[in-house]
Amino acid sequence: MRLKIDKLGVVIAALLAYGAFLAPFAQFRANRIVPGEARSILEALPAGLGAALLAFVMISIILIVLKTPTIVRLVLGLVALLVLAVLIGLSAGHLTPPENTYARVSPASGFWLLSFAFALVTADALARLKLSPFARVALLAAVAGAIAALLMSGAWDGLSILKEYGSRAETFWLEASRHVVLALGSLAAATLVGLPLGILCHRVEALRAGVLNVLNIIQTIPSIALFGLLIAPLGWIALHVPGAQAHGIRGIGAAPAFVALFLYSLLPVVANTVVGLAGVPRDANDAARGIGMTDRQRLFGVELPLAFPVILTGIRIVLVQNIGLATIAALIGGGGFGVFVFQGIGQTAMDLVLLGAVPTVALAFAAAIVLDAATELSSNKPGRAA
Amino acid sequence: MKRYLPNLLRLAALIILIAFLVQPMLFEPLLKPLVQANAPAVYNQGSLLSLTLSHLATVFTATLAATIVAVGLAILVTRPIGAEFLPLSRSLVNIGQTFPPVAVLALAVPAVGFGEKPTLIALFLYGLLPIFENAMTGLSTLPPAIVEAARGTGMTAWQRLTKVEIPLALPVILAGIRLSVTISLATATIGSTVAAKTLGEVIIAGLQSNNLAFVLQGGVVVAVLAVLIYDAFSAVERVLSRRAGRV
């Protein structure tokens, strides 16, 4: 049997070799903000475990460079990520001197490179396997479950980012819920307004170019400026419209952030509704007219269901974009994970930045996977001719 | 008349923009109503022109680097030798776009410190994706008849790439660059939260001192720049696609 070399595998193997042997695995700091000292795998892990990890990486390199079956690579990638996740937790316990509450241990470049390389192996295997939408969501749930289990078990409690969490657990969940409310609430509002607006633009051609141009221009206004510009009108409403203040409308805070996200969300929803409706086959419309459907029946019975996958793609764009943009809300007192990001930048406490950035990325990532799966399911609905 | 109207509007916008950047005090009466009595109505903590130029320079550098890397990678994965990288690069493009720009920016700071560098890195990484996606689409959807004809006339692989495939894919690649530049122009303002010299400084100064005029001028300058650059790219694309016969 002739052994074949996998080209992508060679690139990933180079990353793995560098990450394991040359880059530091963990970083140790005497307190929260001093510069860190690098620790290699052998220094960062208890005797034996470090050598075992190096051996594991070497075996993985061989498996990855050779053309091994895709399923082997998938399992290898997932197992390796789990191993790294457990070991970085152990290294925190190993590096922190007993009884020392000031020392901080965080993952260093070697850990991130190894994780990145194994994530590439996993992503490549998944792309080649072409999993069904349900399988992808199930895998996402399994990974989320594994992360939750690691968090609950306390395996990561020694890590710096969790110490940052520990000292502000209550705020974290408060900001988390504000972040989700901002992102999802503005999406819901944009869908409620954007869908009818899109249908209107589809039916009334004179309106189309104008509406889409205005929405396009809104997109070019930088997010921090749009957030800032809305402070004035909302402040005015709060002062002059009776009852507005009672409903939480204020010049600064969540209200301008909500409106800004809503405005950014309109373009993808409206544009995709228009594109989706324009893509409805003429025959389908003619047939619907032929059997005597009214305009309203045609819209709800034929056009919208056929345009649904395209509209859903627009909603996916909005949701992922909103989850990211909601971090900016913190600049105008709107809360969300951005609070930790900007506080961390201000205090040059990078673990605090991570405490805000990591959940944001994870949320956006999960939202993209779930909505992609939903889009694929809706466009493969049985009974819909391709 | 109707055909020239958009171009006249663009020209007017450009002239007003330049006038504002060179002589901002001329516009003070317009901005005055937006601020409280004693607050300055025009940004006074630095030159608007030099901030705009360094904003544009940051975006240009990042986009140039992103274009070189993204087009190079797209050429690689569309050759037979790089075909093994194709499935992964497709899914990387998808995954990469879920990373919020703020998070990329914030995560770059620990690696390279404050200033221009994290902004450049974030803009570079974020700019890669649209360009790569479009270059890949452009290079892999060429009309097979033309590629075959080029092969038939005895062109080498290199000649086919530089004389046939890239010129034909250019309009689509440019569309990717246009998207990337527009996103970067807006995202660069966030760079000022990590001390990069961009127009974001004006906006953030406005947010901190509750000065609406600052926020407005920073935001509008960026938006006008973005619209003008977007339109310029679209015009070049139209000329190129007419030449490439794609229309």
Side-chain angles (χ1 to χ4, degrees):
Chain A
M1 185 183 121
R2 232 178 104 235
L3 291 175
K4 277 201 188 149
I5 303 284
D6 186 284
K7 284 178 204 137
L8 176 66
V10 175
V11 177
I12 294 178
L15 277 179
L16 284 176
Y18 181 82
F21 295 100
L22 296 171
F25 186 69
Q27 194 186 43
F28 175 82
R29 282 168 302 161
N31 66 45
R32 183 164 170 246
I33 48 178
V34 294
E37 301 156 28
R39 295 279 192 271
S40 71
I41 288 185
L42 289 176
E43 294 164 332
L45 291 169
L49 265 183
L53 176 59
L54 287 180
F56 176 76
V57 172
M58 281 191 278
I59 296 172
S60 313
I61 289 179
I62 297 173
L63 283 175
I64 290 168
V65 168
L66 298 177
K67 267 207 188 317
T68 33
T70 311
I71 189 79
V72 173
R73 301 170 86 89
L74 176 64
V75 173
L76 174 71
L78 289 172
V79 169
L81 286 173
L82 184 65
V83 166
L84 284 171
V86 172
L87 287 183
I88 194 70
L90 286 177
S91 101
H94 179 66
L95 286 175
T96 314
E99 307 291 315
N100 183 337
T101 50
Y102 298 109
R104 293 299 184 104
V105 176
S106 37
S109 59
F111 170 83
W112 293 120
L113 266 180
L114 288 175
S115 309
F116 175 65
F118 281 118
L120 284 183
V121 174
T122 315
D124 181 47
L126 286 174
R128 282 168 205 253
L129 280 177
K130 297 202 178 76
L131 290 180
S132 71
F134 282 120
R136 290 204 303 264
V137 173
L139 192 64
L140 173 72
V143 171
I147 293 175
L150 275 168
L151 283 170
M152 303 278 232
S153 71
W156 282 340
D157 282 355
L159 289 175
S160 190
I161 178 170
L162 280 182
K163 289 193 177 168
E164 296 288 350
Y165 167 75
S167 53
R168 40 176 80 70
E170 254 175 60
T171 342
F172 180 85
W173 290 109
L174 180 72
E175 299 302 354
S177 66
R178 292 170 84 177
H179 198 102
V180 171
V181 167
L182 265 183
L184 287 181
S186 56
L187 167 70
T191 314
L192 282 180
V193 176
L195 211 55
L197 192 60
I199 295 170
L200 199 66
C201 285
H202 172 69
R203 297 264 162 112
V204 188
E205 208 177 326
L207 215 60
R208 201 178 303 156
V211 169
L212 287 178
N213 273 340
V214 169
L215 294 179
N216 251 321
I217 287 175
I218 292 178
Q219 297 271 320
T220 66
I221 303 174
S223 45
I224 46 176
L226 186 56
F227 282 41
L229 291 176
L230 289 166
I231 292 177
L234 285 167
W236 188 87
I237 292 175
L239 278 181
H240 295 90
V241 177
Q245 240 164 346
H247 286 90
I249 294 175
R250 253 172 234 101
I252 56 165
F258 189 93
V259 177
L261 290 180
F262 164 77
L263 289 175
Y264 281 128
S265 311
L266 274 180
L267 177 71
V269 174
V270 175
N272 277 45
T273 307
V274 171
V275 172
L277 289 176
V280 172
R282 227 200 153 84
D283 298 351
N285 262 328
D286 286 347
R289 269 197 210 99
I291 59 170
M293 277 180 154
T294 63
D295 262 11
R296 170 186 286 269
Q297 283 172 329
R298 206 156 48 81
L299 179 66
F300 288 104
V302 179
E303 289 186 298
L304 279 182
L306 283 176
F308 187 65
V310 184
I311 298 174
L312 208 53
T313 317
I315 289 178
R316 173 219 195 260
I317 297 173
V318 169
L319 186 57
V320 171
Q321 173 185 296
N322 276 3
I323 291 174
L325 278 177
T327 34
I328 312 271
L331 277 181
I332 52 164
F337 286 127
V339 170
F340 305 119
V341 174
F342 290 114
Q343 260 178 27
I345 289 176
Q347 306 172 2
T348 59
M350 285 312 148
D351 299 305
L352 190 50
V353 172
L354 285 177
L355 183 63
V358 172
T360 314
V361 171
L363 264 184
F365 186 55
I369 291 184
V370 171
L371 280 179
D372 275 343
T375 312
E376 205 176 310
L377 279 178
S378 70
S379 49
N380 293 339
K381 240 183 278 173
R384 192 184 160 192
Chain B
M1 183 60 206
K2 217 179 165 195
R3 265 179 58 203
Y4 295 107
L5 191 64
N7 282 332
L8 276 178
L9 281 177
R10 283 179 198 127
L11 190 67
L14 182 66
I15 291 171
I16 294 174
L17 177 69
I18 293 174
F20 177 69
L21 292 177
V22 179
Q23 284 295 336
M25 291 323 266
L26 287 179
F27 293 79
E28 202 188 2
L30 273 175
L31 294 164
K32 202 77 199 166
L34 291 171
V35 290
Q36 273 114 21
N38 297 320
V42 171
Y43 188 64
N44 55 358
Q45 297 161 25
S47 146
L48 276 170
L49 183 64
S50 77
L51 280 179
T52 308
L53 290 180
S54 85
H55 189 111
L56 286 174
T58 309
V59 171
F60 177 77
T61 318
T63 310
L64 186 68
T67 306
I68 294 172
V69 174
V71 174
L73 280 178
I75 291 176
L76 179 76
V77 300
T78 48
R79 305 302 99 185
I81 192 170
E84 276 174 27
F85 295 86
L86 193 61
L88 178 66
S89 28
R90 269 188 206 283
S91 57
L92 272 190
V93 166
N94 269 331
I95 296 169
Q97 273 163 344
T98 63
F99 269 70
V102 200
V104 176
L105 192 71
L107 295 176
V109 171
V112 295
F114 287 88
E116 311 280 83
K117 277 193 214 150
T119 317
L120 276 175
I121 292 180
L123 294 186
F124 166 73
L125 289 178
Y126 217 65
L128 275 179
L129 304 162
I131 305 177
F132 178 74
E133 200 171 16
N134 276 39
M136 209 166 60
T137 316
L139 286 171
S140 56
T141 56
L142 296 170
I146 294 182
V147 181
E148 278 309 308
R151 210 190 294 264
T153 56
M155 281 178 145
T156 62
W158 176 253
Q159 284 172 328
R160 283 205 304 276
L161 177 68
T162 53
K163 298 220 166 99
V164 179
E165 296 179 30
I166 290 185
L168 281 179
L170 203 56
V172 188
I173 298 179
L174 266 183
I177 300 178
R178 173 179 50 141
L179 215 65
S180 162
V181 169
T182 339
I183 298 172
S184 292
L185 277 168
T187 312
T189 55
I190 305 173
S192 289
T193 56
V194 293
K197 281 243 163 282
T198 72
L199 286 164
E201 258 187 44
V202 184
I203 302 169
I204 291 173
L207 288 180
Q208 280 166 351
S209 58
N210 204 3
N211 186 328
L212 193 63
F214 283 8
V215 179
L216 186 72
Q217 54 201 266
V220 169
V221 169
V222 175
V224 171
L225 280 175
V227 170
L228 287 176
I229 292 176
Y230 185 95
D231 287 349
F233 265 102
S234 308
V236 175
E237 277 162 43
R238 271 197 301 275
V239 172
L240 282 178
S241 23
R242 214 170 294 143
R243 198 179 288 172
R246 279 202 168 190
V247 184

